[in-house]
Amino acid sequence: MRELQAPKGVSEYFPPRSQYFELVRETLIDSARTAGYSLMELPVFEDTELFKRGVGESTDVVSKEMYTFEDRGGRSLTLRPEGTAGVMRSVIENNLDKLMLPIKVWYSGAFFRAERPQAGRYRQFYQVGIEAIGLNDPEIDFEVIAVADRAFKKLGLESYRLEITSLGDAKSRASHRKDLVSYISKLKLDDATLERAALNPLRLFDDKRPEIREAMASAPLLLDYLSPESKENFARVQELLNSAEIKFTINPLMVRGLDYYTGTTFEFISDKLGAQSGIGGGGRYDGLMAELGGNDLSGIGFGLGVDRVLLACEADGIFDASINKSDLDLFLIALSSDEKAFVSNLVNQLRNQGIACDMAYGDRALKGAMKSADKSGARFSAVIGADEITSGLVALKDMKSGESKEVRISSLAEEFKSN
RNA sequence: GUGGUCGUAGCUCAGCUGGUAGAGCACUCGGUUGUGGUCCGAGAUGUCGCGGGUUCGAGCCCCGUCGAUCACCCCA
């Protein structure tokens, strides 16, 4: 075993797989940009209090999964376990809510949760998220879901599905909670389960044990307690999804792990990932900004798991052939060490003109150098010896077809720019 | 955090009832003078995750530990 190894449970991406990670992340981000969202770049650690108040102390995320530490000034800081709380904090702190609403932002980066690792569940993981703050239109709810769905479709992902529900407004939840608690109180449950029920009775809907499922089968559903406004809102979201031909199922048992969710709530699930099947999820949060000391504005957003979307894409086999392995246009080879300085210079000039190119380093024989050219994935290669330097002409070889054509060294850049 | 499985060359793995390690792929070089992807030949590579123990002797057995993985929990 090596002396030094990565900390437990972190995900790492290096070539060649990193190109797929990058593609996934960029596709998710691009979908957000296309819908008018702008970048928000935030710190990876925040005041611990932000997550306690924002995410909720009763949640597992806050109560037992946070990386919390004290800095040298005695401040309690926490590595961000999710993105929404930080966005809200920054919006409030920088008075962004005084601008024209809604505020539409996206973020991307690493998040941290001290859970027991598993495939698709890491202690440092990556998310791309968006937040739309300041409007309560069902059209915005639809937009947020559509941004995620469009990104998945663009990637070519097929093995995923969308589940939605509505957690209603405060009134809806209060009346439901009363009935649910009384229903649960009549069940015979073990201590651990009772404890969870006391923190959030909705959690029992999410229990995978058959006996609990059975016991909860006739429990009162939140969806049946929605206020008229919530009901109408939820119906409108469904209409919009239908007309956009975004397939979904309503899952009245869906429970989210973060306390701030209200109203429209959704999850994207891949069936090919085993237990860690959620590739993204989100929902509306009515009281969050006010809770954190800002204006009482509602918002909605999602967080998509880049690691898991990548895993799902791989499970669907969509990276097999379709993707170009390299961005290189040209790979240059110096026939002998006499031409190396010339080639190095040429490569540098071509790069200055925006041509993506590389060259054979080291003192490999031509055969080995050609192998490097092949492996680089460059579209074209060219060998430069004394003859080429005196004549000013090179044979530009198309690596796919194997054919080559004569081109002036001085007009190499133009050759690629016109393509 | 709880329980199960696993940990051998860069990768995927083999290694018989304990006798000090192999294959395929990848890699490097070569198959006569300046052209890769196929073929043929040659070569390099491992403290068998780590630490203890049992034994004349352990990759194979036992304990611990680290890590991965599966399920629960939770969630991206």
Side-chain angles (χ1 to χ4, degrees):
Chain A
M1 200 2 76
R2 291 149 180 96
E3 275 183 63
L4 256 25
Q5 56 184 328
K8 179 175 179 149
V10 300
S11 60
E12 297 190 289
Y13 300 96
F14 40 85
R17 196 158 91 106
S18 53
Q19 70 187 310
Y20 301 131
F21 177 85
E22 189 183 13
L23 177 77
V24 168
R25 184 174 57 191
E26 288 307 308
T27 305
L28 299 179
I29 290 171
D30 199 54
S31 181
R33 286 203 196 97
T34 303
Y37 289 74
S38 306
L39 172 65
M40 191 135 205
E41 190 70 51
L42 297 170
V44 295
F45 53 84
E46 295 269 3
D47 192 316
T48 301
E49 191 60 22
L50 171 65
F51 301 117
K52 285 192 176 171
R53 273 165 58 189
V55 180
E57 290 203 70
S58 75
T59 61
D60 279 24
V61 168
V62 170
S63 64
K64 50 190 192 193
E65 295 172 0
M66 294 210 299
Y67 280 103
T68 297
F69 61 97
E70 200 171 275
D71 75 358
R72 294 182 184 220
R75 288 169 277 255
S76 178
L77 300 173
T78 294
L79 261 27
R80 36 136 90 148
E82 60 93 56
T84 304
V87 171
M88 293 307 125
R89 191 229 82 222
S90 183
V91 163
I92 295 166
E93 187 171 342
N94 297 298
N95 293 314
L96 301 185
D97 51 343
K98 309 293 194 297
L99 302 170
M100 192 172 62
L101 299 177
I103 301 154
K104 303 207 316 189
V105 293
W106 65 267
Y107 58 83
S108 165
F111 295 85
F112 308 85
R113 254 118 100 159
E115 300 179 90
R116 181 112 168 219
Q118 201 170 317
R121 186 169 79 181
Y122 307 107
R123 292 185 165 189
Q124 172 171 334
F125 57 98
Y126 297 86
Q127 280 193 0
V128 168
I130 68 173
E131 309 292 347
I133 302 154
L135 285 181
N136 209 350
D137 291 1
E139 283 75 15
I140 295 274
D141 295 19
F142 161 73
E143 172 181 292
V144 168
I145 294 173
V147 166
D149 188 70
R150 185 154 39 243
F152 295 148
K153 287 194 173 125
K154 182 97 183 283
L155 280 166
L157 199 59
E158 280 171 0
S159 65
Y160 75 95
R161 57 176 208 275
L162 167 64
E163 292 188 351
I164 63 169
T165 190
S166 172
L167 300 181
D169 51 28
K171 251 187 285 169
S172 319
R173 281 196 305 284
S175 63
H176 169 253
R177 187 177 172 122
K178 225 171 75 189
D179 288 2
L180 181 60
V181 167
S182 101
Y183 177 89
I184 290 174
S185 69
K186 289 172 194 144
L187 301 175
K188 269 177 272 168
L189 299 167
D190 59 277
D191 289 350
T193 311
L194 278 173
E195 221 169 284
R196 287 205 295 138
L199 285 172
N200 183 353
L202 290 171
R203 286 280 152 71
L204 294 201
F205 282 117
D206 210 26
D207 204 303
K208 284 173 190 164
R209 289 171 297 180
E211 64 272 22
I212 306 290
R213 298 209 136 176
E214 211 175 305
M216 293 298 288
S218 52
L221 296 175
L222 179 49
L223 271 187
D224 297 328
Y225 288 73
L226 294 189
S227 65
E229 302 94 294
S230 291
K231 206 179 249 174
E232 199 194 314
N233 220 292
F234 189 44
R236 183 87 187 112
V237 172
Q238 290 174 56
E239 269 171 44
L240 289 163
L241 288 171
N242 280 329
S243 58
E245 290 178 28
I246 295 174
K247 292 202 189 82
F248 64 90
T249 55
I250 294 172
N251 177 4
L253 307 180
M254 188 166 88
V255 183
R256 304 282 309 160
L258 312 179
D259 276 356
Y260 50 67
Y261 286 116
T262 62
T264 305
T265 309
F266 57 93
E267 254 171 32
F268 287 91
I269 297 153
S270 167
D271 291 318
K272 291 189 177 169
L273 295 188
Q276 310 308 320
S277 59
I279 57 174
R284 184 161 281 285
Y285 37 85
D286 283 336
L288 182 57
M289 270 196 66
E291 172 65 35
L292 296 175
N295 288 333
D296 192 7
L297 293 177
S298 180
I300 180 164
F302 65 56
L304 308 180
V306 182
D307 312 81
R308 288 188 189 174
V309 174
L310 173 61
L311 252 19
C313 287
E314 287 170 336
D316 269 0
I318 66 178
F319 293 145
D320 288 349
S322 56
I323 304 201
N324 187 1
K325 275 194 281 191
S326 162
D327 299 324
L328 285 182
D329 295 315
L330 176 64
F331 193 92
L332 287 170
I333 296 165
L335 189 57
S336 76
S337 54
D338 293 342
E339 296 86 27
K340 272 178 91 176
F342 179 88
V343 170
S344 174
N345 220 301
L346 179 57
V347 163
N348 194 249
Q349 283 174 33
L350 289 170
R351 287 175 182 165
N352 285 344
Q353 294 174 77
I355 310 303
C357 57
D358 204 352
M359 63 178 279
Y361 291 103
D363 290 311
R364 308 189 70 189
L366 184 56
K367 179 170 176 167
M370 281 305 294
K371 269 189 152 174
S372 307
D374 190 37
K375 280 221 319 232
S376 77
R379 288 157 54 221
F380 293 90
S381 72
V383 177
I384 293 182
D387 294 353
E388 282 77 7
I389 294 179
T390 41
S391 70
L393 292 170
V394 274
L396 193 59
K397 181 171 182 175
D398 183 319
M399 293 301 279
K400 245 192 200 134
S401 67
E403 289 162 19
S404 44
K405 63 172 174 177
E406 290 266 292
V407 174
R408 299 200 147 275
I409 294 178
S410 56
S411 56
L412 268 174
E414 278 65 45
E415 186 68 30
F416 286 101
K417 277 181 185 161
S418 57
N419 286 354

